[in-house]
Amino acid sequence: SLAAGLYGIRHQLPLNIEATKGNEYENKQNQALPNNLWSATQAMKSSPIAEELFGQAFTDHFVRTREWEWKQYEQQVSDWELKRYFELV
């Protein structure tokens, strides 16, 4: 958050979006926030601003570790899936 604020100051970006009140995930007026780790990681991976703020080495390492975490997460079977699909068997 601090790096994003500093980026905005350095590039004199206008603050033309109202401050969030409540839950930003429910705000349909602004661009939607990523709703899971994979989406957030891919947004960072494709962002030239991330490399400018954090450097190429850190950004690459951070993205790769979050992609690994997501792949580990995807291999898990959730409690919901177990409850839902065991009742069908």
Side-chain angles (χ1 to χ4, degrees):
S1 294
L2 293 174
L6 182 57
Y7 179 88
I9 292 168
R10 284 183 179 160
H11 295 274
Q12 298 180 347
L13 299 178
L15 295 174
N16 53 8
I17 297 175
E18 287 189 37
T20 298
K21 295 178 183 167
N23 185 343
E24 182 61 26
Y25 287 101
E26 296 172 356
N27 184 350
K28 304 301 180 200
Q29 295 177 353
N30 295 331
Q31 181 178 353
L33 293 171
N35 62 0
N36 60 46
L37 179 61
W38 181 259
S39 298
T41 301
Q42 296 313 298
M44 184 175 186
K45 185 177 185 177
S46 65
S47 171
I49 296 172
E51 282 192 16
E52 182 179 334
L53 293 174
F54 306 113
Q56 189 271 329
F58 174 84
T59 301
D60 184 57
H61 176 74
F62 188 82
V63 165
R64 286 174 187 255
T65 58
R66 296 322 102 162
E67 287 175 337
W68 179 86
E69 282 184 6
W70 182 259
K71 289 173 186 172
Q72 299 307 305
Y73 168 78
E74 280 190 315
Q75 295 175 25
Q76 304 306 308
V77 177
S78 71
D79 288 342
W80 182 88
E81 291 169 308
L82 290 172
K83 289 176 188 174
R84 169 73 177 121
Y85 296 111
F86 269 140
E87 72 184 33
L88 296 176
V89 178

